[in-house]
Amino acid sequence: KSSKPKRRKGKSSKKKEKKVVKEVDILSPSAMLNAYYICHNAPACLEFRGFPWPGAPKKKGKKGK
C-alpha cells in the first residue's frame, strides 16, 4: 500500500462564506446588446428578463440525448 496520507472526499469543514448578490442593471448597454441578439420581439425580451407575458403559451422542455 502507498505511504501517502488519505484525503477525505466530500465537503470541507471550513465555514461557508455568504455570497454577495450583486444588483444587475437590465438596461445597461451590455444587457441591451445581449437582448438584441437573443430576443426576437418585445414579449421574448420581457420573458428573458423575468417578466412573462400574460397569456403566453408555456414552454416545452427540451429532451436531452
Side-chain angles (χ1 to χ4, degrees):
K1 292 187 177 184
S2 65
S3 61
K4 292 182 181 180
K6 292 183 181 179
R7 291 186 181 185
R8 293 181 67 181
K9 291 184 180 180
K11 295 181 181 179
S12 63
S13 61
K14 294 180 183 179
K15 290 184 179 180
K16 293 182 181 178
E17 295 180 15
K18 291 185 179 180
K19 293 184 179 180
V20 178
V21 178
K22 185 178 178 183
E23 288 292 324
V24 178
D25 182 16
I26 63 170
L27 298 176
S28 68
S30 58
M32 287 290 108
L33 184 63
N34 188 29
Y36 175 79
Y37 285 111
I38 66 171
C39 301
H40 300 290
N41 51 32
C45 183
L46 289 170
E47 189 172 345
F48 277 116
R49 295 294 182 237
F51 303 97
W53 200 255
K58 300 281 185 178
K59 284 187 173 181
K60 293 182 180 178
K62 293 182 180 179
K63 294 182 180 180
K65 290 184 177 180

